[in-house]
Amino acid sequence: MKKVTILLSAAIVLLMSCNTKQKVDEKSKEPAKKNILFILADDYGYNDLSYRNDSFYETPNIDRIAKEGTVFNNGYAACQVCSPSRASIMNGKFPARHGITDWIGAREGEKWREKKRFSKLMPAKYKHSLSHKDVTLPEALKAAGYATFFAGKWHLGEKGSWPEDHGFDVNKGGWDAGGPRGGYFSPYKNDNLKDGKDGENLSMRLAKETVNFMKENKDNRFFAYLSFYAVHGKIQTTKDKWAKYRKKAEKNGIAETSFKMKKFLPMRETQDNPIYAGLVESMDDAVGEVLKGLEDLGLAENTIVVFTSDNGGVSAGDSNSTSNLPLRGGKGYQYEGGIKEPYFIKVPWIKKRIKENNTPVTGTDFYPTLLDLVGLKLKPKEHLDGVSLLPLLTGGTIKERPLIWHYPHYGNQGGEPSSVIRKGDWKFIHYYEDGRGELFNLKNDEAEIHEISKENQEIASALKTELFNYLKEVGANYPEKDPTYNAALEAAYLQKIATKRLESLEKQRMSYLSPDFDPKNDWWGSFQTID
């Protein structure tokens, strides 16, 4: 009996040992099939989510990605406007290198005069489509056996340079246009997206298309790229969401004024736009739909989820949607509000993840990082300006390197032709109108209030040299002086902007916040909500 008891005890110990070992193995083992869900918002600001700012916006689903993944507090877009940033995600190169330095369709050279802004410079020429010579991220993944899917905004060239021409098997809604031509409710007026029922929500439609793709490929490896048109102007929302955020703005206290004139345009300094806030929530609802889809399909534990934006929130020009304060500027600007983004990466099988990281990272880093995470060889001859962030996700470090922004253009939002370098905590901006430079220490002055180049001349000089050595190396294009420039005409134009435009914006803001606001059937969702 004693012998039987001893043998039984030994068996129990062995069984417990096996079970314990099995749990450890299951916990540490990476999945055999690793999928990628990449979510890209358009014109979405660093502080336009409740994860960072719960006073106005509500984004529980985007917040969830941040809380379950790694937040890069110094995550950047590769440019202050859309097309260059989107190209950099695809090819891992800074805009100065790949040549798409402005949003595709913007006036360049002498054509800039057609805008009648009477500017000192003629903006530089730029490339108008993604190069077929580059091996894009989806092409690299497709070559490794991944099914690839694109939904939403493309804006990287005309027909012949659409998503399906650069590595995507399926394209739902990606084409020439940079904004939702039919608005955020069907009919969409999009050559690559069939209309739904009148009033169908665009963001939710794109999310459901993404879930359908994942369902069809749940037994394969897939790369799903959900590129929202939201929250690009013209902004629209449902009547219910508008009413909800109008009441929130009223409860928070509606300031008498919101806009302040900057160099070229008035800039919004309050977060109280109920139409925009409703649009943000609709996008978040769509993010929730996709995350739920992953769970329902049993794919949540073997799918990387990325969330980011292509540039800062629109605080001037376009739809004047939001304020990026305390960050300076917004979309189109060389300051942090124009280039700093929500930048979240969730890797379910990294159990000892780092919740937050302060290393400066950018859009070019997604290409090598995603290849690394799914176990593919990097392509350093392709993603020349990107590095893998895998060490940062697991508590390590990467070598300090400069981040470069090159925007030799005037933005629709009031930004100036400039080039920027960030290295460590230092940020240097070169302006092409007059050749001046600005230096900021972002660790001490994230709001870029204190310009300190005179007190740190050696640092400013070294950064300027490194910046222009890079631009020379990649053959960057530059703006040129306009020989027809007339200072008096520009001054008269700016005076009109500082008075009539500013007054008009304040009037529009208060109309949005009025209980009697009526969009006059300009958008379906004001009166109709479609599930």
Side-chain angles (χ1 to χ4, degrees):
M1 186 68 178
K2 185 176 181 181
K3 185 177 181 180
V4 173
T5 302
I6 292 172
L7 288 173
L8 183 60
S9 298
I12 292 171
V13 170
L14 180 62
L15 182 61
M16 290 177 64
S17 175
C18 290
N19 287 342
T20 301
K21 185 176 187 298
Q22 185 179 11
K23 288 180 181 178
V24 171
D25 287 346
E26 287 177 354
K27 187 175 181 180
S28 61
K29 186 178 180 181
E30 294 185 5
K33 295 179 180 178
K34 301 173 181 176
N35 305 314
I36 302 168
L37 170 62
F38 195 110
I39 305 174
L40 179 64
D42 190 19
D43 293 355
Y44 189 49
Y46 185 80
N47 291 314
D48 288 355
L49 67 172
S50 47
Y51 172 80
R52 288 201 174 93
N53 173 19
D54 63 0
S55 63
F56 191 52
Y57 302 112
E58 295 182 19
T59 56
N61 298 299
I62 298 171
D63 294 354
R64 178 182 162 194
I65 300 172
K67 291 173 182 176
E68 294 178 357
T70 298
V71 174
F72 289 87
N73 291 320
N74 286 304
Y76 289 95
C79 186
Q80 49 266 61
V81 296
C82 58
S83 297
S85 294
R86 291 166 178 269
S88 292
I89 293 171
M90 288 291 113
N91 60 28
K93 300 173 175 67
F94 290 145
R97 188 189 296 273
H98 62 62
I100 304 174
T101 53
D102 205 355
W103 61 274
I104 294 173
R107 292 173 176 82
E108 57 192 339
E110 294 182 358
K111 289 185 178 180
W112 176 250
R113 294 174 186 149
E114 296 172 5
K115 296 283 286 184
K116 295 183 179 180
R117 284 179 48 177
F118 312 106
S119 309
K120 291 182 179 180
L121 303 176
M122 296 182 294
K125 300 289 181 69
Y126 64 93
K127 292 184 179 179
H128 289 237
S129 63
L130 194 62
S131 173
H132 288 282
K133 294 180 181 178
D134 294 331
V135 176
T136 63
L137 172 59
E139 285 172 336
L141 290 168
K142 186 175 180 178
Y146 276 75
T148 57
F149 169 87
F150 183 91
K153 174 175 173 173
W154 178 244
H155 205 187
L156 288 174
E158 298 178 350
K159 190 171 183 179
S161 189
W162 283 352
E164 58 267 39
D165 304 305
H166 293 280
F168 288 103
D169 297 320
V170 181
N171 170 27
K172 298 289 184 178
W175 63 317
D176 311 17
R181 286 190 176 171
Y184 285 100
F185 302 93
S186 184
Y188 301 123
K189 299 181 181 179
N190 185 318
D191 289 355
N192 288 331
L193 188 67
K194 291 182 179 180
D195 290 334
K197 294 180 180 179
D198 285 351
E200 178 187 66
N201 182 276
L202 175 59
S203 297
M204 188 59 75
R205 167 67 179 279
L206 297 175
K208 289 184 176 180
E209 294 282 2
T210 304
V211 173
N212 287 339
F213 166 80
M214 296 191 300
K215 184 177 181 179
E216 292 170 0
N217 291 274
K218 63 184 178 66
D219 296 324
N220 304 320
R221 291 181 295 171
F222 63 76
F223 174 49
Y225 196 94
L226 173 53
S227 175
F228 287 114
Y229 280 96
V231 287
H232 191 286
K234 298 179 177 180
I235 56 175
Q236 298 173 343
T237 189
T238 65
K239 185 176 183 179
D240 288 346
K241 282 184 167 58
W242 162 79
K244 171 184 175 179
Y245 287 100
R246 193 204 70 79
K247 289 179 181 177
K248 282 192 78 171
E250 190 173 57
K251 183 178 179 181
N252 289 341
I254 297 174
E256 290 186 9
T257 61
S258 175
F259 290 88
K260 288 187 179 180
M261 184 65 189
K262 302 301 178 181
K263 182 171 182 178
F264 293 122
L265 283 175
M267 180 172 290
R268 189 184 191 101
E269 296 194 342
T270 57
Q271 289 188 335
D272 57 7
N273 187 330
I275 302 175
Y276 177 73
L279 178 58
V280 167
E281 185 181 330
S282 292
M283 178 179 69
D284 186 77
D285 291 342
V287 170
E289 182 77 8
V290 181
L291 296 181
K292 182 178 182 297
L294 281 177
E295 292 176 344
D296 292 346
L297 293 167
L299 298 172
E301 291 305 309
N302 66 316
T303 302
I304 299 162
V305 180
V306 172
F307 182 86
T308 193
S309 177
D310 61 352
N311 49 247
V314 182
S315 55
D318 295 356
S319 292
N320 305 279
S321 302
T322 189
S323 169
N324 297 290
L325 293 175
L327 301 183
R328 185 174 177 181
K331 177 183 178 181
Y333 285 79
Q334 60 280 6
Y335 298 115
E336 295 293 276
I339 55 178
K340 202 169 188 178
E341 308 305 324
Y343 196 115
F344 312 143
I345 302 177
K346 176 189 173 183
V347 187
W349 55 87
I350 296 180
K351 301 304 179 182
K352 294 183 179 180
R353 66 180 176 87
I354 301 302
K355 293 184 178 181
E356 294 188 16
N357 187 280
N358 293 320
T359 307
V361 299
T362 189
T364 58
D365 297 329
F366 288 119
Y367 191 154
T369 300
L370 293 174
L371 292 185
D372 212 0
L373 285 171
V374 299
L376 297 178
K377 290 185 178 180
L378 303 191
K379 295 181 175 293
K381 292 184 180 180
E382 296 296 335
H383 45 76
L384 287 164
D385 297 310
V387 300
S388 173
L389 306 181
L390 177 55
L392 300 181
L393 292 168
T394 54
T397 60
I398 59 174
K399 185 179 178 181
E400 184 179 83
R401 46 45 194 273
L403 303 183
I404 307 289
W405 293 265
H406 182 60
Y407 189 65
H409 311 279
Y410 291 99
N412 288 345
Q413 304 77 25
E416 302 179 58
S418 60
S419 293
V420 180
I421 180 171
R422 173 171 182 172
K423 193 170 185 181
D425 295 327
W426 297 99
K427 177 178 176 181
F428 178 81
I429 306 172
H430 174 82
Y431 293 92
Y432 290 102
E433 276 198 343
D434 54 12
R436 78 186 188 282
E438 291 181 334
L439 180 70
F440 301 96
N441 185 299
L442 296 177
K443 183 177 181 179
N444 302 327
D445 181 24
E446 185 182 44
E448 296 170 287
I449 297 172
H450 306 290
E451 198 285 300
I452 52 175
S453 58
K454 290 183 180 179
E455 300 92 322
N456 300 274
Q457 293 183 19
E458 290 186 7
I459 293 174
S461 179
L463 288 173
K464 182 178 180 179
T465 297
E466 189 168 8
L467 170 63
F468 278 93
N469 283 345
Y470 174 86
L471 295 178
K472 181 179 180 180
E473 174 191 337
V474 301
N477 291 337
Y478 300 98
E480 297 180 358
K481 290 184 178 180
D482 188 343
T484 69
Y485 173 68
N486 185 306
L489 289 177
E490 184 183 35
Y493 165 79
L494 292 177
Q495 178 61 29
K496 185 177 180 180
I497 295 295
T499 52
K500 292 185 178 181
R501 175 75 69 86
L502 193 148
E503 181 182 345
S504 174
L505 288 171
E506 293 287 9
K507 184 178 179 179
Q508 180 191 63
R509 169 178 168 261
M510 296 309 291
S511 74
Y512 288 170
L513 290 164
S514 168
D516 300 323
F517 171 66
D518 180 4
K520 302 188 185 302
N521 295 320
D522 284 342
W523 23 276
W524 278 101
S526 297
F527 304 98
Q528 183 176 1
T529 302
I530 301 295
D531 293 331

